[in-house]
Amino acid sequence: MLRKVIRKTKGMYYNELLSLPTNKSKTSWNIINNEIGTVSSKKFTQNEFKLGNKIKGTNQSAKIFNNYFINSVDKLITQQPNTESAMFSLRESFPYEFPQIINIPITEAEVICAISSLKNKTSCGYDGLSDKILKLCGNEISKTITYILNKSLTCSISPKRLQYAIIKPFFKKGDKSQVSNYRPISLLNGFCKIFELLIFHTLKHHLVSNNILVSEQFGFRDNVSTYSAIFKIIKSIFNVWNNKEYVTCLFCDLTKAFDSVSYELLILKL
């Protein structure tokens, strides 16, 4: 009799947990691991965070990180010099017009291929749907996704729901209590990843087929990588040494490079 009461109480408790607006996949696995006795080791939880001379508790941590991530990028952008000179240099480097991107409709086969290329991850965005679930029902949702994507490209409007993301602070190095030692990572929903993947392939095909990318571009391209860049540098250095000449190298590391990209320059380049 007592076992039945305990089992029923547990069931009610677990149902209540699953009804909460949290990550249902993670909650389900926590319940399963708890029932089979597989409990992960406890991790240290940071209780206080420092921003300058101010110390805040965990109840204010979300607001602190949000303000820091936004303000740090805005500060970098305001410190940037006038982009007019950079835009002039860009126009001088590409004096002729490149062909415009032809709006070729995305096919359902391409959508199915993009869905199948997703990793079997159980993590998910705000919608609670993991990539693994999307892959399992890819054939059933491909037609709808194809229609929405082509409508979005035709109207030049990105669905607002695909612009939502869960932002989490990821520790880099140093003192864990310092807010400045964290960087933001975005947990996107699977549909957003599918859209980005298909648009990326369309852009890449246009850039490669029209020979727009320079030969010094090694990142995010097929058949080349950072190893190719290293090999080219080493080869150049050895060639100079063989001619008994001096070598001078200048390496630049950009702070928050992706966050501080000038949209005007990016649009002009595209």
Side-chain angles (χ1 to χ4, degrees):
M1 184 68 181
L2 182 60
R3 288 183 178 179
K4 288 183 178 181
V5 174
I6 294 174
R7 192 180 297 114
K8 187 176 181 180
T9 306
K10 271 189 177 182
M12 293 172 63
Y13 172 68
Y14 290 152
N15 286 332
E16 186 178 349
L17 287 179
L18 292 171
S19 65
L20 296 175
T22 55
N23 190 329
K24 290 181 171 52
S25 178
K26 184 177 181 180
T27 305
S28 301
W29 279 110
N30 286 338
I31 292 172
I32 293 171
N33 290 330
N34 184 58
E35 285 297 309
I36 64 177
T38 306
V39 182
S40 59
S41 58
K42 293 184 179 180
K43 296 182 179 179
F44 173 75
T45 303
Q46 189 68 39
N47 295 320
E48 292 182 341
F49 294 96
K50 300 175 185 177
L51 184 57
N53 296 325
K54 298 179 180 179
I55 300 177
K56 302 290 184 179
T58 51
N59 58 334
Q60 297 176 301
S61 59
K63 187 176 180 180
I64 293 171
F65 278 109
N66 184 58
N67 291 336
Y68 172 74
F69 291 149
I70 294 174
N71 294 333
S72 59
V73 174
D74 289 342
K75 186 177 179 181
L76 276 176
I77 294 175
T78 54
Q79 290 176 350
Q80 287 181 354
N82 194 340
T83 58
E84 282 299 322
S85 59
M87 294 178 73
F88 175 78
S89 176
L90 186 60
R91 291 191 185 96
E92 288 291 314
S93 301
F94 300 96
Y96 51 91
E97 292 288 336
F98 287 110
Q100 294 185 350
I101 298 178
I102 302 174
N103 187 13
I104 302 175
I106 303 296
T107 64
E108 187 177 353
E110 290 176 306
V111 172
I112 293 175
C113 183
I115 294 173
S116 62
S117 67
L118 294 174
K119 295 180 180 179
N120 288 318
K121 289 187 175 181
T122 55
S123 58
C124 50
Y126 75 94
D127 57 358
L129 296 174
S130 65
D131 294 350
K132 191 173 183 179
I133 293 177
L134 293 181
K135 291 185 70 173
L136 291 173
C137 58
N139 292 328
E140 286 72 22
I141 62 177
S142 59
K143 191 178 293 294
T144 304
I145 292 178
T146 304
Y147 172 79
I148 296 174
L149 177 58
N150 284 317
K151 193 71 174 178
S152 174
L153 294 175
T154 304
C155 301
S156 300
I157 297 175
S158 175
K160 287 189 176 181
R161 288 289 180 179
L162 298 184
Q163 300 173 21
Y164 296 164
I166 297 176
I167 309 298
K168 289 193 173 185
F170 181 79
F171 176 68
K172 295 186 295 182
K173 59 181 179 179
D175 186 359
K176 286 190 174 183
S177 64
Q178 288 287 350
V179 176
S180 57
N181 290 333
Y182 291 80
R183 66 178 178 88
I185 59 171
S186 301
L187 296 181
L188 304 174
N189 64 71
F191 296 104
C192 180
K193 296 176 185 177
I194 295 169
F195 274 51
E196 287 186 355
L197 189 61
L198 290 166
I199 293 173
F200 165 73
H201 285 307
T202 303
L203 280 173
K204 185 179 74 172
H205 175 73
H206 174 74
L207 295 173
V208 173
S209 59
N210 292 287
N211 198 26
I212 296 176
L213 295 177
V214 296
S215 59
E216 290 80 11
Q217 173 73 40
F218 293 101
F220 309 102
R221 297 183 65 182
D222 295 333
N223 303 321
V224 291
S225 65
T226 52
Y227 292 108
S228 305
I230 294 171
F231 174 77
K232 187 173 182 178
I233 291 175
I234 294 174
K235 183 181 178 182
S236 301
I237 292 173
F238 277 122
N239 288 337
V240 173
W241 281 353
N242 289 334
N243 294 328
K244 296 182 180 181
E245 297 176 349
Y246 292 102
V247 178
T248 302
C249 296
L250 178 63
F251 297 93
C252 299
D253 184 17
L254 303 179
T255 302
K256 301 185 186 302
F258 286 99
D259 296 326
S260 55
V261 169
S262 170
Y263 293 132
E264 293 180 358
L265 289 174
L266 180 60
I267 293 172
L268 180 63
K269 182 69 180 291
L270 293 175

